[in-house]
Amino acid sequence: MQIWTIARYEVLRMLRLRYVFIIQFLMPMLLIFILGSALSGEFKVEDHNLKSVKLAVVQGDSGPMNTAITSFLEAPEIKKLLQADLVASRAEAVDRLKIGTSEFALVIPSDFSKQVLAGNEAEWEMILGNDYGQNLTAQMVLRSFLDQVNLSQAAIIAAGPSAAGQLQRHVVPAAAQGEAASHVQVGNLTTSSASYTAMQYYAASMLVMFLLYSGMSTALSLQAEKEKHTLSRLNAMPIHEYKILVGKVLGNTFVSICQAAVIIAATILFYGVDWGNSFLLLFLVCLGIILASMSLAVLITFLTKTSKAISTSFQMIILVMSFLSGGFTPLPDGLLQQLGTCTPNYWGMQGMLRIMLGSDLTVIGHHLFVLACIGGGLLLVSLIAYRKAGYHE
């Protein structure tokens, strides 16, 4: 009963403070609008028509595979993507790339047929041009031919020791007579509408970030009792100090839950954000973030001595975690993204995005489990810190 009384007065105290409404309710709504509107173009997934590539071909091979390569490059489907033009030497092909006459170059070695018929891997040299997209197109198409040759070659060799004699009778005709569609197929990436918008992305990231900021309010409230010397009076009452701590944490937890509910409802009403169909799972994700936030608040309170140190520590930790988790902008694959997976921000935000996209329950459950483990770990560390330091002046 004493815990709930303390929690109730903590809620009343927080609701009387103007900065609570500004920072925890209005600020996230403003940032969601600014970031979601300004960066909406970064989250559009669109199909692009492939540009035809002017290809300079240096045909150094006069063996049996020459016919197969020529047939491949002359196929109607391939000619839509590659406009092949024979040149005499590699140096001429490079010069054509420099002056812009060609946009990609293919150099076929003189022993290409010999290597293929000997059972070795089919290889040739590809020289990149200046356009990244056209380079990808040419590499994709030309490598598909090599893959087809190597696949046929491997299948025949796997048949047994007598297969070497069958290479010229089967691999060359198969490569020469193959349909272009069997090598390359052009399709659409956006066959599914399962993608989130910029407004959804930043609604999730800002909600997670400001739920963590609610922990800073908790830590400052706990520290204020010490600095104003009211904690010693509370400890003089017949109330155990852990009840004071738990009551204040529960009061701020309730305010955080209200904060999450207001932000979710307001983004739906004003910004049209689709949070998915499972508000129960969304509540559990928010609860996991709040658990991590409150545990972090208790831990930092016991490790620091002043309100300024608490504010600085919290802001640095939250901003770094938000950046590493992709809260400000999606990060490319690499070390930073791997570091981001160690933060509650990453698992909370990704869990919300999976709920928005209607992902499988096992996927969402995995994110919830990891988030709960992080929150539980922080809670355990904060309890250890409480046993050593205690909540008193």
Side-chain angles (χ1 to χ4, degrees):
M1 188 64 182
Q2 293 171 332
I3 293 176
W4 295 113
T5 301
I6 296 171
R8 184 169 70 88
Y9 279 101
E10 181 67 13
V11 172
L12 294 175
R13 186 190 69 82
M14 291 290 292
L15 294 179
R16 292 191 184 105
L17 300 175
R18 290 184 179 180
Y19 79 87
V20 172
F21 289 97
I22 296 174
I23 295 178
Q24 294 188 220
F25 292 91
L26 297 181
M27 186 67 73
M29 292 296 299
L30 180 61
L31 287 176
I32 291 170
F33 174 75
I34 293 173
L35 293 173
S37 301
L39 301 176
S40 58
E42 299 295 325
F43 290 80
K44 289 182 180 179
V45 180
E46 298 177 341
D47 290 309
H48 296 275
N49 293 326
L50 297 179
K51 296 170 62 178
S52 179
V53 183
K54 296 177 182 178
L55 176 67
V57 181
V58 181
Q59 178 55 281
D61 180 37
S62 58
M65 292 300 298
N66 185 7
T67 305
I69 296 171
T70 302
S71 299
F72 172 75
L73 294 175
E74 292 296 325
E77 291 297 322
I78 299 301
K79 291 184 72 173
K80 293 178 181 179
L81 301 173
L82 302 178
Q83 299 177 9
D85 188 11
L86 291 175
V87 297
S89 65
R90 185 183 187 279
E92 183 181 348
V94 173
D95 289 338
R96 290 171 66 98
L97 287 177
K98 290 180 179 179
I99 63 177
T101 308
S102 297
E103 296 163 333
F104 196 88
L106 171 66
V107 181
I108 304 171
S110 58
D111 62 345
F112 184 80
S113 294
K114 180 180 178 181
Q115 293 295 326
V116 171
L117 298 178
N120 298 323
E121 183 180 1
E123 292 181 330
W124 52 33
E125 182 184 5
M126 291 183 283
I127 305 175
L128 304 182
N130 296 324
D131 189 285
Y132 177 76
Q134 289 182 314
N135 289 338
L136 288 180
T137 300
Q139 287 176 309
M140 174 191 68
V141 174
L142 295 174
R143 283 175 180 167
S144 70
F145 178 83
L146 293 181
D147 292 340
Q148 184 70 23
V149 172
N150 289 325
L151 178 62
S152 302
Q153 183 189 68
I156 293 174
I157 292 175
S162 61
Q166 304 178 33
L167 287 173
Q168 185 165 349
R169 295 196 301 271
H170 294 280
V171 174
V172 177
Q177 298 172 7
E179 294 289 337
S182 67
H183 295 278
V184 178
Q185 291 186 2
V186 179
N188 296 325
L189 290 175
T190 55
T191 55
S192 172
S193 60
S195 60
Y196 46 77
T197 64
M199 201 66 75
Q200 286 177 302
Y201 185 87
Y202 287 109
S205 67
M206 291 300 107
L207 175 57
V208 170
M209 188 174 78
F210 279 90
L211 285 179
L212 289 174
Y213 268 119
S214 66
M216 184 173 73
S217 300
T218 305
L220 291 174
S221 174
L222 293 171
Q223 184 63 27
E225 299 290 356
K226 295 181 180 181
E227 294 179 350
K228 294 178 180 178
H229 303 291
T230 55
L231 182 57
S232 58
R233 299 179 185 178
L234 292 172
N235 286 330
M237 299 174 65
I239 305 174
H240 198 282
E241 65 179 29
Y242 85 86
K243 292 184 178 180
I244 302 172
L245 178 66
V246 173
K248 294 181 77 66
V249 169
L250 285 178
N252 282 275
T253 299
F254 177 78
V255 174
S256 299
I257 293 173
C258 294
Q259 176 190 11
V262 169
I263 292 175
I264 292 172
T267 51
I268 293 174
L269 181 62
F270 298 114
Y271 303 153
V273 174
D274 182 8
W275 288 90
N277 299 320
S278 180
F279 287 98
L280 175 59
L281 291 175
L282 193 60
F283 170 76
L284 293 177
V285 172
C286 292
L287 206 59
I289 293 293
I290 293 171
L291 173 64
S293 175
M294 296 303 160
S295 301
L296 193 62
V298 174
L299 181 60
I300 291 179
T301 300
F302 294 146
L303 295 178
T304 55
K305 301 298 182 182
T306 64
S307 296
K308 185 176 181 180
I310 290 175
S311 179
T312 303
S313 301
F314 243 103
Q315 291 189 51
M316 289 182 61
I317 291 172
I318 293 174
L319 289 176
V320 169
M321 290 196 304
S322 298
F323 169 74
L324 292 176
S325 65
F328 301 127
T329 183
L331 296 178
D333 294 338
L335 178 61
L336 291 179
Q337 191 179 73
Q338 292 176 2
L339 292 174
T341 59
C342 301
T343 65
N345 302 57
Y346 174 85
W347 296 102
M349 187 173 71
Q350 293 300 321
M352 291 180 183
L353 293 176
R354 295 297 176 273
I355 294 171
M356 291 176 178
L357 298 178
S359 299
D360 190 82
L361 187 59
T362 55
V363 176
I364 301 173
H366 171 69
H367 288 77
L368 269 173
F369 175 74
V370 177
L371 180 61
C373 289
I374 294 175
L378 288 173
L379 178 61
L380 180 61
V381 174
S382 65
L383 289 176
I384 294 173
Y386 169 75
R387 290 191 63 181
K388 289 186 176 182
Y391 183 49
H392 49 75
E393 293 186 38

